[in-house]
Structures are given as structure tokens and as C-alpha cells.
Amino acid sequence: MIANILVGSASWTDKTLIACGRFYPPGCRTAEQRLRFYAQQFPLVEVDSSYYAMPLPQTAQLWADRTPAGFTFNVKAFRLLTGHQALPTALDRDLQKALGPDVPRTLYYEKLPGEIRDELWRRFRGALAPLQVAGKLGAVHFQFAPWMLRNRASMAHVEHCVEKMEGHLVAAEFRHQTWFFGEHLEATLDWERGLGLVHTVVDSPQGFANCVPCVWDVTNPRLAIVRLHGRNRDTWNKKGLAASSARFDYQYNADELAAMVPEIEHLAEQARQVHVIFNTNHEDQGQVGARMMRELLRVKAR
């Protein structure tokens, strides 16, 4: 048994997962029942809802209360903090009001007033506090925008995020090939090491500018993350999908997962812990893949 590898999925509340009826038992109907059941099956989950809206401390406290000792939450950073745009309605109402009557239809971090940006960071850190106090906060996952190329401005923003999240374990996932293209590969890894960033190994469709190669390396001895998005080329950049889960509509097979096992085991020799997260969250694809990977890696269910 490999003790330092945790396997789980991204989200436990996706509508298609609940609707498919294959993961949760029939009597599992409330948010509390679903999280308690999920936490009996896996030791790790990634919170994705925090990317779309700032989480509340009260909600994080419920997550901590409803999961057993040793359970781990990785939490995605709020989208405005990662270079993505957001609608004003993604902010708390008092912050919307503070932006005044001429608030733009689309918000970007660099165009927000400094005091609003500072408040976003304060609230985000505050929302994580219950998980941190409970010892259940793993990494804070920054999935940076695909238009953030490897350049001076983007690197400065990443460094800014690390500074703002001091005291937290920060993971970086890049979505543009320039970060690992040619001679930039080793330079990016060295830069991540210098910042103490957790490098995210990404498995996704290849051949697109907003994809990065699968770089199996460790940049923080505390943790390595492997994040599996599936390999569905047809949906990766498709417009007009009914839900984000449709983009990651992919079921890994045993051969694809088995090919990753030696690499994951090698990461586990270099890092104190390895998190393997299935972001194939259409219906129960992530949970099926996670169970299959767990068997291949010979790791405990809980």
C-alpha cells in the first residue's frame, strides 16, 4: 500500500453526477448526506464552486464538520484572482454597491479599485479559515486564465497571488503552452520552486494553445498534484455547452490510467503527498476513474 497518495474528484455536487443516479445511493438527497457519503468513498475532493463565487466561512465550516478526520479539501481560487473575468453579480452585494453606479458589465482584477482587491483577498482567506483550523485544507488551487502567457506581467501576478496567500499551500495550474515550451519548461519549474508553488501535472487534450504538456515534476516537497481533465478534443474548446462538465466528458480507460502509475509513484517518492484529482465531472466519470486509479495504485479507499 502506498500511504502518501490521495485520489479523488473535482466536485461532489455536479448536477449530472446527482442526476445519473449511479454514485449516490437512493436515500442520499441532501447536501450533508452527499458530502458524508462522498467522504466515505474518497479521502480527497476539490472544491470547484469557489471558482465561480466567493465561498462563505459558514459553508466551509459545514464542510469541515461533515467530513471525518484526515479528509482533505483542495479549494479552487475565486476566478477574479486568477486572471479570469467575472460578472459583478459574482461579488457580494456590498462589494457590488461599493463599485458604484458605473460598474462595468465585466470585471477584471487589474481594473478593480485597490481596496476592493484587498477585500477580496481578505474574504477569500477568511472563507478558508475553518478548513485550515480543522486541518482539512490541502492546497489552494490557482487555475490561471488561458490568456495568461508566460511573460513579465503574468509572472508578476502569480507572485502577487503567492504573497497574498502567505501561510497557505498554493498550487498553480497554467493554461497556456508558453509556460512549458522549449527552454521555458525548466525555467518555469525553477521559478515555481523558488516561490514554493505546487506544480500541477495536467493531463488534457493536446494540440491547443490553451493546453500544457504533461510535465511530471515536483516543485514543492510538501505536495504534487496530478489533475486529469480527460482527452476529449471535440469538446475542449467547444462553444455553447450546456454545462462546464460537458467540456470534460471523458471516461479514462484502464490502460490510459495504468500508463500514469509509474509516473505518479515516482512523484510520491519526491513529495510528502500526491493528490490525484479527476476533473472529468460529467455524470460519474470522475468517481469511476478515481476508483479505477485507486485500484491501480493500490492505495486505500479511506
Side-chain angles (χ1 to χ4, degrees):
M1 286 284 185
I2 302 175
N4 66 330
I5 301 176
L6 304 183
V7 182
S9 66
S11 173
W12 68 96
T13 59
D14 190 89
K15 290 181 179 179
T16 62
L17 170 63
I18 296 169
C20 80
R22 290 189 294 272
F23 180 65
Y24 291 112
C28 204
R29 298 186 180 277
T30 68
E32 178 175 357
Q33 289 171 334
R34 288 176 185 134
L35 180 54
R36 288 189 184 278
F37 178 80
Y38 177 96
Q40 292 171 1
Q41 311 301 309
F42 300 103
L44 167 72
V45 78
E46 180 184 279
V47 178
D48 282 357
S49 58
S50 51
Y51 169 79
Y52 298 99
M54 189 74 71
L56 295 172
Q58 305 94 291
T59 305
Q61 186 63 59
L62 290 175
W63 294 338
D65 294 342
R66 292 169 177 175
T67 49
F71 190 82
T72 299
F73 291 88
N74 286 353
V75 181
K76 284 186 75 174
F78 180 49
R79 58 184 302 142
L80 272 177
L81 307 178
T82 62
H84 291 86
Q85 75 277 32
L87 296 174
T89 50
L91 300 184
D92 295 334
R93 288 190 177 181
D94 64 321
L95 295 185
Q96 293 179 45
K97 187 176 179 180
L99 288 172
D102 299 322
V103 58
R105 296 172 66 179
T106 304
L107 303 178
Y108 290 92
Y109 181 81
E110 67 272 13
K111 295 182 179 179
L112 290 173
E115 60 271 21
I116 298 291
R117 291 189 298 205
D118 288 344
E119 184 61 15
L120 286 175
W121 286 110
R122 190 191 70 79
R123 293 187 187 191
F124 184 58
R125 291 191 301 267
L128 300 175
L131 293 177
Q132 196 170 32
V133 169
K136 295 182 177 181
L137 180 62
V140 185
H141 189 85
F142 282 73
Q143 180 186 299
F144 291 104
W147 45 85
M148 280 182 59
L149 283 65
R150 190 187 190 278
N151 55 35
R152 188 174 299 174
S154 295
M155 294 174 80
H157 181 71
V158 175
E159 291 166 4
H160 171 70
C161 293
V162 172
E163 180 183 348
K164 289 293 186 181
M165 293 304 298
E166 184 179 359
H168 297 78
L169 187 60
V170 176
E173 179 178 344
F174 300 108
R175 285 289 182 89
H176 196 278
Q177 59 187 3
T178 51
W179 291 94
F180 300 106
F181 183 76
E183 71 277 6
H184 288 167
L185 192 155
E186 288 301 330
T188 294
L189 292 173
D190 287 343
W191 172 71
E192 287 182 299
R193 289 187 186 98
L195 291 173
L197 274 172
V198 174
H199 170 67
T200 302
V201 180
V202 179
D203 188 81
S204 65
Q206 294 299 296
F208 302 101
N210 62 340
C211 291
V212 295
C214 205
V215 178
W216 296 94
D217 216 324
V218 174
T219 56
N220 186 315
R222 292 175 60 189
L223 179 66
I225 292 178
V226 181
R227 204 156 177 262
L228 308 176
H229 297 291
R231 300 172 181 178
N232 191 335
R233 294 178 56 85
D234 294 336
T235 57
W236 185 252
N237 286 324
K238 190 173 182 179
K239 304 294 184 185
L241 294 170
S244 61
S245 58
R247 183 183 181 197
F248 308 105
D249 183 359
Y250 190 82
Q251 186 65 72
Y252 283 96
N253 63 47
D255 288 343
E256 290 170 328
L257 297 182
M260 302 182 201
V261 166
E263 298 284 6
I264 294 171
E265 290 176 337
H266 184 57
L267 295 180
E269 294 171 358
Q270 303 172 68
R272 198 176 307 159
Q273 199 167 76
V274 179
H275 292 176
V276 181
I277 299 166
F278 282 77
N279 192 43
T280 48
N281 50 15
H282 179 67
E283 298 186 347
D284 62 341
Q285 291 171 341
Q287 289 71 32
V288 169
R291 283 172 171 158
M292 201 183 311
M293 180 64 89
R294 190 171 64 200
E295 293 299 317
L296 291 165
L297 287 165
R298 307 178 307 283
V299 297
K300 294 180 180 178
R302 281 286 316 134

